Amino acid sequence: MTADVNTIRQRLAAYGQEHVLRWWHELDEARRACLLEQLESIDLDLLCRLCQEAPASFPSGRVEPAPVTRLADSFEAWQEAEEAADLGETSLRGGEVAILMVAGGQGTRLGHAGPKGTFPIGPVTQRSLFQIHCQKVLALSRRYQQPLPLCIMTSPDNDAATREFFAEHNNFGLEPGQVRFFVQGTMPVVDAKSKKLLLADKGQLALSPNGHGGVVEALARAGLMDQLRSQGVRRFFYFQVDNPLVKVADPVFLGQHLKRRAEMSLKVVAKTVPEERLGVVVRRDDRLHVIEYSDLPEEWARRRDRSGRLQFWAGSIAIHVFELEFLDRLARTSALPYHRALKCVPYVNERGELVRPTQANAIKFERFVFDALPLAERALVLETDRRQEFEPLKNPSGENSPDTVRQALSNLYADWLQAAGTIVPLTPTGDSLFPIEIAPLFACDAEELRGKRGVPAKVTGPLVLE
Ligand code: UTP
């Protein structure tokens, strides 16, 4: 039942936040009801604590590089990877793996109108990020004769548009019921100086998605942990919508995770330069942590070992395996911390005018999924090759932009084609000269491509295989 406005006013006053009811007398019934609902759902106690706490800093204690299972560079390592692949495939065939894609957030940097997943990224066909991911899931479901459940986290802002996009495209061929959407939570935004709640308009708090770490509680709240558990799912393969290179449900990764009996696993790539914006995996007091690039002191980021390599080299690329029971435990204990981010957020001022600041004026609170790492009893960190698995879409131009992502996709497919014996023209820096696209339903990896008919002997222009 909705509390009355006076009770809420008192509660707000106890935290010095009653200003959010300043325009109450101007609101109609519907807007009043919405505002009350928003106010009832926020945890003022938590917010007050988060505002008072000192921002998270680089961890103290003995910090050293994390132990990483390196790329298979010997016969033994290759043999181990083969064994792991068998284990991973058995888990996939047995219906123990669900695919978990986070597609919430705001995509502020990219500035695309619509959910990030709808961005047309295919180097030749312009197929969307969602289409690429879904067709991988479809191809793998066929390969393992098991409809892999696909759980997609949206944000309140992009949920409706995401569902519409999937409906328009007939779920990209996935079975009805195979795709499950769930919406992430939000957190109120506060003024950076006064720590007062901001209003997006006179009858609405400014809220922002609570970070990709919100996935843990959102999954539980949507009842998906229980549903999937009863269906026999034991673990999640997690990735983020903006990286179309991800090797979805990689059986070697799943198998290594199983062999280690890990609760959480993550893939890393070698950072190219100290300032690269990747979280770095470290070990502190026998626990692994991912330190956000912005929290890693510059001196640490630049530190090199005797051979000249970066000492803290292992950059997390946001590809994980999580045991379902581990995530469930984290959800029940609300275990992930919140981080603060200073951002520009429009708000309504005390005169009722909408202000669009040009400098950071507000604090957003976000949870990061990689903060689960130190909470895992056993964890695996696996190195992978960046060219094969990682180029996320973040910006409209420059690094991690549509151009670099399309080039990375073409390069990946060029490598597969070369492995299949095709002659592929490359630039002096190793980039594919022509845009190339291989639909996941044609081949999901280099090995599958090798056995296919219709693979050309030479690439002579833009190429699509589907
Ligand atoms: P980013 O941290 O790059 O955020 O998210 P973003 O919202 O996509 O873009 P910016 O920072 O506003 O420019 C990495 C991945 O995590 C998901 C995004 O969909 C993306 O796949 N994410 C992020 C969420 O699902 N929820 C969030 O609250 C934040």
Side-chain angles (χ1 to χ4, degrees):
M1 190 171 141
T2 313
D4 70 278
V5 66
N6 291 327
T7 316
I8 296 235
R9 196 185 296 275
Q10 274 174 16
R11 201 186 300 160
L12 287 165
Y15 292 91
Q17 301 284 8
E18 66 277 27
H19 65 283
V20 293
L21 290 173
R22 184 179 281 137
W23 314 103
W24 183 256
H25 60 283
E26 286 187 16
L27 305 179
D28 61 23
E29 278 310 308
R31 294 182 76 202
R32 284 181 173 187
C34 286
L35 182 58
L36 276 192
E37 201 183 313
Q38 275 194 331
L39 289 170
E40 266 199 299
S41 68
I42 62 174
D43 183 341
L44 287 167
D45 210 42
L46 169 70
L47 194 72
C48 178
R49 241 186 8 254
L50 294 176
C51 288
Q52 282 165 2
E53 271 170 14
S57 60
F58 189 61
S60 55
R62 195 176 134 77
V63 179
E64 52 194 350
V68 179
T69 302
R70 302 302 307 258
L71 280 173
D73 54 1
S74 62
F75 179 69
E76 288 73 27
W78 175 82
Q79 215 171 17
E80 202 192 320
E82 288 285 292
E83 282 165 25
D86 285 347
L87 270 181
E89 288 187 336
T90 305
S91 185
L92 285 159
R93 271 198 203 92
E96 293 179 350
V97 182
I99 311 300
L100 178 55
M101 165 163 67
V102 292
Q106 295 177 306
T108 351
R109 285 169 287 173
L110 186 64
H112 170 58
K116 220 187 216 187
T118 63
F119 194 94
I121 200 67
V124 188
T125 66
Q126 306 288 317
R127 52 163 64 88
S128 63
L129 285 163
F130 278 139
Q131 183 171 1
I132 294 178
H133 294 310
C134 288
Q135 292 195 333
K136 287 184 196 177
V137 176
L138 180 57
L140 294 169
S141 297
R142 289 181 185 163
R143 181 187 288 181
Y144 298 115
Q145 297 177 351
Q146 183 66 249
L148 303 176
L150 171 60
C151 306
I152 303 175
M153 184 169 84
T154 60
S155 68
D157 280 348
N158 73 19
D159 183 66
T162 304
R163 288 175 199 249
E164 252 166 55
F165 192 72
F166 272 71
E168 260 168 40
H169 292 89
N170 221 350
N171 276 350
F172 303 100
L174 293 165
E175 283 179 20
Q178 197 175 351
V179 186
R180 302 176 205 191
F181 299 98
F182 62 105
V183 188
Q184 72 175 117
T186 54
M187 280 293 279
V189 180
V190 299
D191 179 80
K193 285 202 192 99
S194 65
K195 311 292 190 302
K196 299 265 188 209
L197 290 165
L198 290 180
L199 285 170
D201 63 43
K202 288 180 175 177
Q204 239 192 114
L205 294 179
L207 300 175
S208 73
N210 60 357
H212 40 65
V215 71
V216 178
E217 277 170 57
L219 262 179
R221 220 179 324 114
L224 281 169
M225 300 264 198
D226 293 336
Q227 271 177 39
L228 293 166
R229 181 192 287 114
S230 67
Q231 224 176 285
V233 169
R234 306 271 303 276
R235 54 200 58 92
F236 293 101
F237 179 91
Y238 167 103
F239 66 94
Q240 306 187 332
V241 68
D242 53 19
N243 176 24
L245 273 78
V246 58
K247 195 167 181 187
V248 173
D250 174 9
V252 176
F253 185 39
L254 282 161
Q256 301 273 28
H257 167 93
L258 284 163
K259 275 173 88 168
R260 190 68 62 92
R261 293 181 38 250
E263 289 192 311
M264 169 174 178
S265 293
L266 66 161
K267 284 196 180 181
V268 294
V269 296
K271 279 179 66 172
T272 46
V273 287
E275 46 285 341
E276 188 175 5
R277 295 167 143 232
L278 283 182
V280 169
V281 193
V282 304
R283 178 161 64 185
R284 183 186 50 147
D285 304 333
D286 287 334
R287 291 274 163 171
L288 299 179
H289 298 253
V290 175
I291 312 282
E292 257 294 75
Y293 56 86
S294 47
D295 292 335
L296 187 70
E298 203 184 316
E299 191 266 316
W300 289 71
R302 298 192 172 281
R303 205 176 275 180
R304 295 189 183 266
D305 62 18
R306 282 209 195 104
S307 59
R309 284 178 25 137
L310 291 175
Q311 193 180 11
F312 293 98
W313 62 270
S316 169
I317 55 170
I319 297 177
H320 305 298
V321 179
F322 292 110
E323 286 300 295
L324 185 147
E325 296 308 333
F326 172 57
L327 284 195
D328 198 30
R329 189 170 88 226
L330 297 188
R332 276 186 278 110
T333 50
S334 189
L336 297 187
Y338 280 95
H339 296 251
R340 305 185 202 188
L342 260 181
K343 299 274 162 108
C344 274
V345 178
Y347 65 98
V348 167
N349 68 12
E350 57 286 353
R351 290 186 297 282
E353 302 149 352
L354 183 68
V355 181
R356 294 186 185 280
T358 49
Q359 286 191 339
N361 63 314
I363 302 177
K364 289 185 177 180
F365 298 97
E366 285 192 346
R367 283 173 149 165
F368 298 153
V369 78
F370 52 69
D371 280 330
L373 188 58
L375 305 169
E377 286 310 318
R378 289 167 303 281
L380 163 84
V381 188
L382 183 68
E383 185 188 14
T384 187
D385 177 1
R386 177 191 299 258
R387 182 161 161 124
Q388 286 181 30
E389 287 204 53
F390 184 59
E391 181 61 31
L393 180 62
K394 302 282 185 195
N395 304 307
S397 57
E399 62 178 25
N400 303 144
S401 65
D403 285 351
T404 67
V405 176
R406 291 191 184 114
Q407 185 65 59
L409 281 166
S410 295
N411 292 349
L412 172 74
Y413 301 135
D415 292 352
W416 294 3
L417 285 164
Q418 283 187 323
T422 301
I423 298 168
V424 186
L426 301 179
T427 66
T429 51
D431 284 333
S432 173
L433 196 59
F434 299 112
I436 304 178
E437 204 168 323
I438 300 178
L441 290 170
F442 188 85
C444 254
D445 49 44
E447 208 167 76
E448 192 175 357
L449 186 72
R450 260 202 302 270
K452 286 276 170 175
R453 273 196 240 145
V455 177
K458 189 170 178 192
V459 175
T460 53
L463 173 72
V464 184
L465 295 176
E466 41 192 340

